[in-house]
Structure formats: C-alpha cells, structure tokens
Amino acid sequence: MTSAPDIDADPVSYETLIEAVATQRSKAAFGELFEHFAPRLKSYLMRLGTESSAAEEVVQEAMVMVWRKAESFDRRQASASTWIFTIARNKRIDRLRRERRPELDPNDPALVPDAEPQADRSVEARQSRVRILTAIKNLPEEQSELIRMAYFDDKSHAEIAVEKDLPLGTVKSRIRLALGRMRREVEDLG
C-alpha cells in the first residue's frame, strides 16, 4: 500500500494531490486542491461571462466532480490544472444548456387540449353522420360506390374513372348527381 503524500512538507504537485484523492480519498489533499483551484476557477468562469453566484455554483459542482472522478485522472494525458479547468468548463456548458431550454408555457395553444365539444354539438354531429350514411345507403348502388370511392377511399375522380373504366366526365356527373340526391334526402331527414 502506498503511503499518503505529506502535504505539509515540501510543496507537492497538484497531480500528486489528485492521485492521493483517488487512491486514499485524502480530504487534506482535496482541501489543498480546493483552496488553490476554487478562486482561479471562479475568476476563469467570470471572465467567460458567468455571473458571480453562478460561477460559485459551477466551481462547487466542478470540485465535487474532481472528488468523485479523481481516479480517472491520468497525468500522462493532461496536467492537473488542465483537467480541473476542463471539468469546470464542461460544467459551465451543461449549466448554459439547462438554462437555455425554454420553459414550457402551460397556456401555449399547442399544449392546451382541444375543448370537449358541447353535448348538443356532439349530438348534432352524430345525427348528421347518421343522416349522411342513410342517404348514401339509399343511393343507387353505382352512385353509392362512387361516393364511397371519392370521399371515404380518398380517390381522385381520374383514379375512379380508370378503376371503373368510365369516362372522367361520366364519373364527375354521376358524383354530382349523387351529391344532389344526398343533399335533398339529408334535408328531408333533418
């Protein structure tokens, strides 16, 4: 087992302090890191445009991350200060992303469900639907089929003409004739 560095003796490198936090969970080593880096991180964050209180919060979050992730520090990849400042920069970016997400407005029309239709409107709609379906059923078979194809199957008049092997003008006139009959029947039923 390695012994803890004596941080009260000669100055110890910050890399060694991070390693002491990683391997021994040394609070003294962490305290020294915090004492050195916290004011520097706050100044750095404020130069980037973060207000003082927010900068303090980001520093706290970054130093907590240093404590938690100390074992992932590798002195061959970066110096202690580079590693710690990168953590702080990333925490600042995370905070900015959270702040820039728009708050949901509960009164936004896109989020407000459609109002339930009034009971009388629902009854009227249901009655109209029954009258229309009855009117379609009472049409001659050929006209009824053309109406279904045009309005329920959403086919164009040209598609119906090809499918039924009829001239386009004939399809249009038969649909027009069927709609006229339906209109009269719906008015009679209503």
Side-chain angles (χ1 to χ4, degrees):
M1 180 170 175
T2 60
S3 62
D6 184 4
I7 60 173
D8 293 329
D10 294 328
V12 178
S13 74
Y14 297 113
E15 290 78 8
T16 305
L17 291 173
I18 293 173
E19 290 166 354
V21 170
T23 59
Q24 300 156 6
R25 286 299 187 212
S26 171
K27 292 179 182 176
F30 182 75
E32 194 169 324
L33 285 169
F34 193 93
E35 188 178 311
H36 176 77
F37 284 103
R40 288 165 176 78
L41 291 173
K42 182 178 177 185
S43 294
Y44 166 71
L45 293 167
M46 289 177 66
R47 280 194 310 272
L48 292 177
T50 308
E51 68 177 52
S52 179
S53 61
E56 287 177 14
E57 289 178 25
V58 172
V59 168
Q60 293 292 325
E61 292 173 16
M63 293 309 292
V64 166
M65 187 64 67
V66 168
W67 175 262
R68 289 183 182 158
K69 300 293 184 175
E71 59 277 348
S72 68
F73 172 71
D74 183 356
R75 68 170 62 214
R76 293 169 298 184
Q77 292 183 352
S79 69
S81 61
T82 300
W83 186 69
I84 292 172
F85 274 84
T86 300
I87 291 172
R89 181 185 62 89
N90 291 342
K91 288 292 179 186
R92 177 182 175 266
I93 291 169
D94 292 345
R95 183 183 188 91
L96 289 172
R97 286 182 181 148
R98 280 193 309 267
E99 289 173 357
R100 289 189 179 151
R101 285 193 184 133
E103 291 292 319
L104 290 179
D105 178 9
N107 297 321
D108 184 343
L111 300 177
V112 176
D114 293 336
E116 290 292 321
Q118 296 177 348
D120 58 337
R121 300 253 186 228
S122 294
V123 170
E124 286 175 12
R126 208 172 10 256
Q127 289 172 345
S128 293
R129 183 175 170 1
V130 168
R131 283 193 299 253
I132 290 170
L133 291 174
T134 301
I136 291 172
K137 193 184 300 181
N138 292 338
L139 287 173
E141 180 63 33
E142 184 182 33
Q143 289 179 352
S144 175
E145 189 174 352
L146 292 177
I147 291 293
R148 281 192 185 94
M149 292 174 80
Y151 294 99
F152 292 93
D153 297 342
D154 201 28
K155 293 185 179 182
S156 70
H157 293 171
E159 289 173 320
I160 295 169
V162 169
E163 196 171 312
K164 291 303 222 173
D165 196 28
L166 293 170
L168 180 60
T170 302
V171 170
K172 288 183 178 190
S173 64
R174 288 182 183 171
I175 288 175
R176 193 171 31 254
L177 178 65
L179 289 173
R181 283 186 178 174
M182 286 177 57
R183 186 176 303 113
R184 285 189 299 278
E185 189 164 331
V186 167
E187 288 170 356
D188 291 345
L189 290 172

